[in-house]
């Protein structure tokens, strides 16, 4: 099994970077990644220095997938996400949209939490179940170079908790080789990532990458053992929700033979949503597979 260690920290999904790893379809690899703070916070006394390092969410990659071409897609199954240093960290600072109600006098709030025995020790009294996920995973577009801050049709900073072990992420291929990047691992995160920081950690992620030749997808999709999810990003969030539902309906029509209007009716009654960072408007529209008989 190949391993891709932490190397250059990339803050863009760029086709212009030299691939650091070449793999074939079906190969399983281990990818190490730095945390969203680029390693600046390791103790409660550390501070995020945006003057020294303004970027966030560094990625490891790119990974070149042999025979991947525009119009294909990648199916990336997450096998495992392990903490690299046995801890995670978070911070609170700018309350952004919440300031209207909470005010602006928010303390910095650097907070480092040990991880052991399947638990995150948030305080002496409170533990949070270890539920790792990737905040960022994506491919390189064929024009422009998106940063690791917003999400888009290439994937990117989706911050959807279902990008987690046991699930498969489907991503479009825009350029030869695919140029897959990943990073921004969280030990856990609530829906909406309220303070713009999850429980961030450097991580070791084991993935299996399969190439789907000629299987074009219009944006990120997620499949769990029990659910299908279509992802969209945009503001206002209600537009992203509408797009995610529409993409899920078209997925059911194309791959499962469902009439789109019948799907529209069914989703009205059984669909669920998952929300990424609330300020970016990322939404996953979900349906349980048991309804697709």
């Amino acid at each position: 099994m190949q391993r891709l260690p932490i190397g250059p920290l990339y803050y863009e999904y760029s086709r212009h970077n030299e691939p650091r790893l070449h793999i074939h379809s079906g190969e399983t690899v281990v990818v190490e990644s730095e945390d969203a703070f680029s390693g600046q916070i390791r103790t409660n006394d550390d501070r995020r220095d945006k003057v020294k390092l303004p970027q966030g969410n560094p990625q490891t990659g790119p990974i070149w997938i042999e025979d991947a071409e525009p119009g294909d897609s990648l199916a990336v199954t997450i096998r495992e996400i392990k903490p690299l240093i046995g801890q995670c960290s978070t911070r609170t600072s700018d309350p952004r949209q919440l300031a209207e109600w909470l005010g602006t006098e928010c303390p910095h709030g650097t907070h480092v939490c040990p991880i052991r025995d399947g638990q995150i020790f948030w305080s002496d009294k409170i533990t949070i179940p270890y539920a790792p996920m990737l905040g960022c995973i994506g491919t390189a577009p064929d024009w422009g170079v998106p940063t690791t801050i917003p999400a888009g049709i290439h994937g990117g900073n989706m911050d959807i908790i279902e990008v987690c072990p046991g699930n498969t992420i489907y991503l479009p291929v825009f350029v030869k080789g695919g140029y897959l990047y990943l990073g921004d691992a969280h030990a856990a995160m609530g829906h909406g990532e309220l303070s713009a920081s999850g429980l961030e950690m450097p991580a070791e992620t084991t993935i299996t990458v399969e190439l789907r030749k000629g299987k074009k997808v219009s944006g990120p999709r997620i499949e769990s053992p029990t659910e299908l999810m279509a992802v969209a990003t945009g503001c206002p969030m209600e537009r992203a929700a509408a797009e995610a539902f529409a993409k899920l309906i078209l997925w059911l029509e194309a791959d499962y033979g469902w009439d789109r209007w019948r799907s529209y009716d069914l989703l009205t009654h059984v669909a669920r949503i998952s929300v990424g960072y609330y300020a970016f408007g990322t939404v996953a529209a979900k349906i349980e597979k048991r309804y697709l008989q």
Side-chain angles (χ1 to χ4, degrees):
M1 185 185 303
Q2 295 194 73
R3 174 181 289 267
L4 182 58
I6 295 174
L9 300 181
Y10 291 118
Y11 299 89
E12 297 174 326
Y13 294 91
S14 175
R15 63 196 179 279
H16 303 300
N17 296 322
E18 186 70 22
R20 291 189 59 221
L21 186 68
H22 287 70
I23 66 172
H24 291 88
S25 178
E27 195 166 343
T28 297
V29 297
V30 177
V31 182
E32 296 180 4
S33 60
E34 186 50 274
D35 68 19
F37 306 129
S38 302
Q40 287 189 324
I41 298 176
R42 293 291 194 251
T43 74
N44 288 336
D45 294 327
D46 292 334
R47 293 293 180 262
R48 175 79 168 90
D49 187 347
K50 290 191 175 183
V51 174
K52 181 178 179 181
L53 190 63
Q55 303 96 334
N57 300 328
Q59 302 293 284
T60 297
I63 299 173
W64 175 284
I65 296 86
E66 297 294 340
D67 300 322
E69 298 175 315
D72 298 337
S73 63
L74 302 180
V76 183
T77 300
I78 302 174
R79 304 294 182 188
E80 187 177 27
I81 303 175
K82 296 165 58 177
L84 271 181
I85 61 173
Q87 67 180 39
C88 56
S89 59
T90 188
R91 64 186 285 269
T92 53
S93 54
D94 180 5
R96 297 178 172 84
Q97 288 96 323
L98 281 70
E100 179 181 349
W101 300 276
L102 303 183
T104 59
E105 301 301 317
C106 179
H108 186 277
T110 299
H111 190 182
V112 174
C113 308
I115 304 169
R116 60 179 182 271
D117 302 324
Q119 298 291 319
I120 302 159
F121 289 81
W122 192 82
S123 73
D124 292 339
K125 296 182 178 180
I126 296 175
T127 59
I128 299 171
Y130 180 67
M133 44 82 71
L134 294 178
C136 297
I137 185 170
T139 53
D142 55 355
W143 64 274
V145 182
T147 73
T148 57
I149 297 303
I153 60 172
H154 64 291
N157 187 28
M158 296 182 286
D159 283 319
I160 293 289
I161 63 172
E162 288 83 3
V163 181
C164 65
N167 292 357
T168 298
I169 320 304
Y170 299 97
L171 298 165
V173 172
F174 301 99
V175 298
K176 188 174 179 62
Y179 284 73
L180 176 67
Y181 296 80
L182 64 83
D184 184 27
H186 300 175
M189 191 191 81
H191 286 260
E193 197 184 28
L194 189 58
S195 71
S197 297
L199 287 161
E200 313 286 351
M201 65 177 185
E204 174 187 287
T205 301
T206 303
I207 58 172
T208 300
V209 183
E210 294 185 358
L211 177 63
R212 302 292 177 90
K213 292 296 297 180
K215 182 63 175 178
K216 187 175 182 179
V217 294
S218 59
R221 296 174 175 177
I222 305 171
E223 183 174 0
S224 78
T226 60
E227 293 178 313
L228 300 178
M229 301 162 241
V231 181
T233 298
C235 292
M237 187 178 286
E238 55 263 34
R239 177 170 175 79
E243 181 182 348
F245 279 120
K247 287 183 173 180
L248 181 56
I249 288 169
L250 295 175
W251 184 6
L252 298 181
E253 181 180 65
D255 288 7
Y256 293 87
W258 273 74
D259 174 81
R260 66 179 58 181
W261 302 115
R262 189 70 168 168
S263 299
Y264 174 50
D265 184 3
L266 179 63
L267 288 175
T268 301
H269 313 299
V270 303
R272 299 290 184 268
I273 63 171
S274 183
V275 178
Y277 177 43
Y278 75 100
F280 292 161
T282 300
V283 176
K286 312 197 297 183
I287 186 172
E288 292 182 46
K289 290 180 180 178
R290 65 189 178 93
Y291 292 111
L292 304 181
Q293 301 179 22

